Amino acid sequence: PGTAANSGGVPGPAPGRFSGLALVLGAALLLHLPALRAPFFADDYLFLDQVRGRSLLATFAAPDPIGNFFRPVGRQLFFWLVSHAGGESPRVFHAVNLALWLLALALFHAVARRLAGPRGALIATGLLALHYAAVVPLRWASCAQDLLALVLGLAALRLYLADRRFAA
């Protein structure tokens, strides 16, 4: 429920409702900041080569450098957008992955809050946020495809639980 305590008398979230989540997200951010200094690794170079000097349409038309799965959003689109926006900087790729991780945690918290209540959601989100399994997707730019799948899947769950089935 909202309160009218904020400026202008407009209802907003109850004070402190998201302070626990903010603390968890801040801890996850601090824990994973060193990932911003990680270099590119393995498949990252293949995906960068695929998008370098090509238009987005030409990137989609080019064969997948690994050839094992068709993942146009997590590979071609992601690498084309981020490399063009960030000048092929590994720091930019890792920063985007970190932002995706934080978004995934916030969405996870929203789903868990609906299913387990505020305390259960905060505990579950805290455990996930500080778990070592996040190290690989945050230090390997190519894992953006996994983070994107996680974010989109959690967003679909959140929408479904909010009775927005068509959007989900």
Side-chain angles (χ1 to χ4, degrees):
T3 65
N6 54 0
S7 64
V10 179
R17 179 174 175 190
F18 296 106
S19 59
L21 176 60
L23 185 63
V24 168
L25 294 178
L29 178 65
L30 286 174
L31 178 66
H32 296 296
L33 270 178
L36 297 178
R37 294 190 303 270
F40 285 127
F41 177 73
D43 297 349
D44 299 345
Y45 294 107
L46 298 173
F47 298 140
L48 284 169
D49 285 343
Q50 183 185 30
V51 302
R52 187 176 291 125
R54 289 190 171 132
S55 70
L56 183 57
L57 287 176
T59 298
F60 282 126
D64 186 82
I66 298 176
N68 57 357
F69 295 104
F70 181 64
R71 297 179 179 168
V73 173
R75 290 183 179 175
Q76 290 85 356
L77 180 62
F78 180 81
F79 268 81
W80 190 89
L81 288 173
V82 178
S83 68
H84 281 78
E88 295 188 16
S89 165
R91 183 174 294 238
V92 173
F93 276 89
H94 296 307
V96 171
N97 280 7
L98 184 55
L100 286 169
W101 176 240
L102 296 174
L103 178 58
L105 290 172
L107 287 166
F108 176 82
H109 181 267
V111 169
R113 185 178 179 89
R114 176 76 186 262
L115 298 174
R119 184 172 293 146
L122 193 57
I123 292 168
T125 305
L127 289 171
L128 181 61
L130 303 177
H131 196 275
Y132 69 91
V135 171
V136 171
L138 296 176
R139 292 180 184 250
W140 192 1
S142 296
C143 283
Q145 55 197 333
D146 303 310
L147 291 168
L148 286 166
L150 178 63
V151 164
L152 294 173
L154 286 168
L157 280 173
R158 176 68 180 102
L159 289 167
Y160 184 86
L161 290 171
D163 291 324
R164 297 182 61 200
R165 305 271 158 68
F166 182 78

